[in-house]
Amino acid sequence: MSRVYNFSAGPAVLPEEVLQEAADEMLDYKGTGMSVMEMSHRSKAYDTIIKEAEADLRDLMKIPDNYKVLFLQGGASQQFAMIPMNLMKNRKADYIVTGQWAKKAYQEAQLFGEARKIASSEDETFSYIPDCSDLPVSEDADYVYICENNTIYGTKFKTLPNTKGRTLVADVSSCFLSEPVDVSKYGVIYGGVQKNIGPAGVVIVIIREDLIREEVLPGTPTMLRYKTHADNDSLYNTPPAYGIYICGKVFKWLKKRGGLEAMKEYNEKKAAILYDFLDGSKLFRGTVRREDRSLMNVPFITGSEELDAKFVKEAKDAGFENLKGHRSVGGMRASIYNAMPIEGVEKLVAFMRKFEAENGVVR
Ligand SMILES: *Cc1c(COP(=O)(O)O)cnc(C)c1O
């Protein structure tokens, strides 16, 4: 067996221990004589799996009791519609557009009501986070929407926007569980799990109870109402059962490693290795405003498309996979989620240093 260093933005690297454990339990889950994939979602064994997953997530994120945790399907993208369908009481919402994912959410919301773009960083290819301390938030906005970590561009909100009392909704797909959060500051926090937690197909929605309403927009399908899933503890229909089981294992792995405080420390240390190298490099450079840099997604370029392509190819040959930047921006991007070991980043930097020297750049 040989494993590569996988810098994919998503689906992405998972903890090896978790994968090994899942492999060990594949044919016979804890004496049930079957795989979790083959098991009824109404069985006692599965009930324990999903309940423990929720309890561990609550513990990790210190989720207050007046918030529900929902394990849903449809990816993060389905939330682009579910959020307005369930929350747009006044049919008005304000969006802060800091990248492709926020833009897609903003465009989807326009199907349902008046979505206003109150700030954007598109003028500089989304390479920074706009000042959100005093935005023209509408008094009757049902919510203010952000994408907290911009996977494609590598920026992150270091302080949450001043929503002037309106409900904050955040897509945290690519920074989920990478550091502690104060859940009480949000109305809804959600994310697809394939970036930092588990297999694609599961989206976790953490929602304040008063936002789970009977009165949703007319025509909202049963499956797209938060209430349907909240009333049934995410078991209204068959949930993405195997995916939730893996998420549960990752939650336990995080707890064993010391929880989100410890993860933050580890992630900061890991990201600094790469950013410090980029800041000193004569060939490579980061593309994001320093104070807005993400701990999870690190885009960089050489300034030459040819050299970028050469780098990506040679890196792949050396066992560093998926370093090509998003198709919309080019260059390179190293995604260094929770499960990327620090050695992976150290070795990548050593490889970059060697590439620099081989391509005629003297430090
Ligand atoms: C990947 C990603 C999405 C889209 O996720 P899907 O599960 O593919 O719908 C949305 N938002 C962010 C921030 C992402 O990184």
Side-chain angles (χ1 to χ4, degrees), residues 37 45 53 63 98 115 119 144 146 151 177 244 252-254 257 265 303 309 320 322-323 339:
M37 259 183 263
I63 300 174
T98 52
V144 175
I146 62 167
T151 325
L177 304 182
I244 295 168
K252 289 199 189 297
W253 177 79
L254 287 167
R257 297 198 43 166
E265 206 176 297
F320 305 101
N322 293 312
L323 282 165

Side-chain angles (χ1 to χ4, degrees), residues 25-261:
E25 292 173 351
M26 183 60 76
L27 298 183
D28 177 8
Y29 177 74
K30 296 194 173 163
T32 56
M34 61 178 88
S35 166
V36 173
M37 259 183 263
E38 304 171 297
M39 174 179 291
S40 164
H41 57 296
R42 312 272 176 213
S43 65
K44 198 157 183 306
Y46 195 75
D47 192 59
T48 305
I49 289 172
I50 194 167
K51 290 235 168 74
E52 267 186 29
E54 178 175 341
D56 286 334
L57 180 63
R58 284 188 175 275
D59 198 20
L60 278 168
M61 292 180 75
K62 302 188 170 62
I63 300 174
D65 288 344
N66 63 325
Y67 284 74
K68 285 271 188 208
V69 174
L70 308 176
F71 295 100
L72 308 179
Q73 316 198 37
S77 300
Q78 183 151 284
Q79 294 307 308
F80 299 170
M82 265 180 96
I83 287 157
M85 285 174 136
N86 285 269
L87 265 50
M88 261 193 180
K89 216 168 36 176
N90 301 324
R91 297 227 185 203
K92 248 188 207 179
D94 289 348
Y95 280 72
I96 298 173
V97 178
T98 52
Q100 296 294 351
W101 295 119
K103 194 172 175 180
K104 281 191 173 150
Y106 161 66
Q107 286 166 343
E108 188 77 358
Q110 288 167 7
L111 297 172
F112 304 101
E114 187 189 332
R116 292 197 331 150
K117 177 162 52 178
I118 55 168
S120 167
S121 52
E122 194 162 14
D123 59 339
E124 289 182 37
T125 343
F126 298 121
S127 60
Y128 70 103
I129 298 289
D131 177 2
C132 297
S133 57
D134 185 21
L135 295 174
V137 177
S138 320
E139 245 168 59
D140 55 351
D142 294 307
Y143 57 88
V144 175
Y145 182 100
I146 62 167
C147 177
E148 195 161 328
N149 184 81
N150 296 282
T151 325
I152 297 173
Y153 302 94
T155 58
K156 158 110 207 287
F157 281 82
K158 300 293 163 78
T159 43
L160 293 175
N162 174 4
T163 64
K164 303 186 175 170
R166 314 315 306 162
T167 298
L168 179 64
V169 173
D171 174 357
V172 297
S173 296
S174 49
C175 58
F176 226 157
L177 304 182
S178 63
E179 57 184 277
V181 285
D182 181 353
V183 175
S184 70
K185 292 197 167 132
Y186 303 79
V188 180
I189 307 184
Y190 79 92
V193 304
Q194 74 272 28
K195 308 289 160 69
N196 212 10
I197 304 179
V202 182
V203 56
I204 298 175
V205 177
I206 301 160
I207 179 169
R208 213 176 55 225
E209 278 170 357
D210 60 286
L211 297 169
I212 303 172
R213 287 188 291 253
E214 198 85 60
E215 311 76 38
V216 293
L217 294 189
T220 300
T222 307
M223 275 293 286
L224 298 188
R225 298 173 191 214
Y226 290 129
K227 193 163 190 327
T228 302
H229 300 286
D231 287 351
N232 292 281
D233 297 326
S234 303
L235 292 166
Y236 168 74
N237 70 325
T238 321
Y242 194 80
I244 295 168
Y245 154 77
I246 299 290
C247 293
K249 287 202 179 297
V250 171
F251 300 154
K252 289 199 189 297
W253 177 79
L254 287 167
K255 285 177 81 171
K256 213 165 70 189
R257 297 198 43 166
L260 302 191
E261 292 287 351

